[in-house]
Amino acid sequence: MQQQIALHSNGRVRVSAAPKSRFQTTNPKVFAGGDMVRGSDLVVTAVFEGREAAQGILQHLGVRATAQH
């Protein structure tokens, strides 16, 4: 069964803001951030959201994150 990814009326991807599933789409196996979610913005915002999405992925997989240096 294929699971769709919900979009906002402006075509951007809907993601969760919940701490446990940050940046997770309506398809639980897909995470998104940056321009896909908010549209054109600063590169630093996309990088930040990519890191936040990575944390959400680790939590989803049950992997404990290590401290960043």
Side-chain angles (χ1 to χ4, degrees), residues 16-24 28 31 52-63:
S16 173
K20 187 174 181 180
S21 57
R22 191 123 165 94
F23 291 98
Q24 187 176 31
F31 290 73
E52 291 290 308
Q55 291 297 319
I57 293 166
L58 290 173
Q59 288 177 342
H60 179 75
L61 296 174
V63 176

Side-chain angles (χ1 to χ4, degrees), residues 11-13 32-43 45-47 49:
R12 294 189 181 110
V13 176
D35 291 358
M36 292 280 300
V37 174
R38 69 173 55 244
S40 296
D41 203 349
L42 300 173
V43 171
T45 305
V47 170
E49 289 184 356

Side-chain angles (χ1 to χ4, degrees), residues 6-18:
L7 303 176
H8 291 283
S9 60
N10 61 10
R12 294 189 181 110
V13 176
R14 288 184 186 266
V15 294
S16 173

Side-chain angles (χ1 to χ4, degrees), residues 1-6 24-30:
M1 181 172 88
Q2 191 175 33
Q3 194 162 5
Q4 298 295 318
I5 295 173
Q24 187 176 31
T25 67
T26 52
N27 179 331
K29 294 182 179 181
V30 178

